[in-house]
Amino acid sequence: MTIGRSRALLSLMTPYFHLRAVPPSALRNSTTWLHRLFQDDWTTVRERIGRHREEVLDPGYLRYELLYTGGPCPHPAGQDTGADVVRGGRPVDPPDPDEPPFLLLTAAQVTQVAAFLTSADFDSLWRRARDEVLPQYGGEDAEPEARGVFAATHRDLTAFYAQTAHYGDAVVKWLVS
């Protein structure tokens, strides 16, 4: 379990970014259905995370996005697959305007993201993002720990998307509080 994931699971009051694999045939555009999708208890969520059917990122998920938004592009020109890793997807707005939107990636988009992640070189991604990331983690002295957290999160996201693509599933994402 990554440091980021363990922090998210330790505090039930802290918002976290939740990614869940969903068979395309089960996917609904209903915000009621999407809310129910994320109403599981923590024990259930923890059990599923180990099987790469879901992923949880701590509140620092925006920093993880920095790793991918400037990465290599093994996808067709004009498609920024790296940006889809964390906050990408078609937004579905909940009725309450104060809630963040759900984000939906189709099975085809998941396959593209999985291909991007499995072909991405972490060291290159880290070099590109480190100058923006390190000040938020305590500077250059904290680089070994910060790099370790990002590397573990990258491995977890790669496994999640690869497994999800293997099953031909879509992904629903939501900032859960």
Side-chain angles (χ1 to χ4, degrees):
M1 182 175 294
T2 67
I3 292 171
R5 184 183 303 150
S6 63
R7 283 186 193 139
L9 295 175
L10 289 175
S11 173
L12 298 178
M13 300 306 288
T14 302
Y16 61 93
F17 199 65
H18 197 147
L19 296 80
R20 179 169 289 172
V22 178
S25 61
L27 192 58
R28 305 287 179 266
N29 278 330
S30 159
T31 55
T32 302
W33 184 87
L34 291 167
H35 271 280
R36 272 189 266 130
L37 183 64
F38 291 99
Q39 288 181 344
D40 291 332
D41 63 82
W42 279 101
T43 301
T44 303
V45 171
R46 278 191 289 264
E47 288 171 6
R48 280 195 307 254
I49 287 172
R51 292 179 284 179
H52 300 298
R53 301 305 293 147
E54 0 202 338
E55 188 59 44
V56 173
L57 299 177
D58 67 25
Y61 69 92
L62 293 174
R63 291 182 290 241
Y64 300 125
E65 184 178 47
L66 291 172
L67 197 63
Y68 304 111
T69 55
C73 298
H75 49 280
Q79 294 179 350
D80 191 4
T81 303
D84 285 343
V85 174
V86 178
R87 289 193 305 161
R90 180 177 57 83
V92 175
D93 293 320
D96 181 350
D98 292 332
E99 286 187 340
F102 295 94
L103 301 171
L104 282 60
L105 286 177
T106 65
Q109 289 170 310
V110 168
T111 298
Q112 290 175 337
V113 171
F116 169 82
L117 288 170
T118 57
S119 66
D121 174 53
F122 176 77
D123 290 330
S124 295
L125 294 173
W126 176 252
R127 280 192 300 278
R128 197 177 333 257
R130 76 179 285 283
D131 290 341
E132 283 188 73
V133 170
L134 285 180
Q136 300 170 35
Y137 279 85
E140 289 186 23
D141 291 341
E143 183 168 5
E145 182 182 354
R147 188 183 186 290
V149 168
F150 276 73
T153 300
H154 174 71
R155 283 189 302 272
D156 290 344
L157 285 169
T158 300
F160 167 74
Y161 277 108
Q163 182 80 1
T164 303
H166 173 76
Y167 285 108
D169 287 343
V171 169
V172 178
K173 307 172 191 179
W174 197 39
L175 180 62
V176 179
S177 53

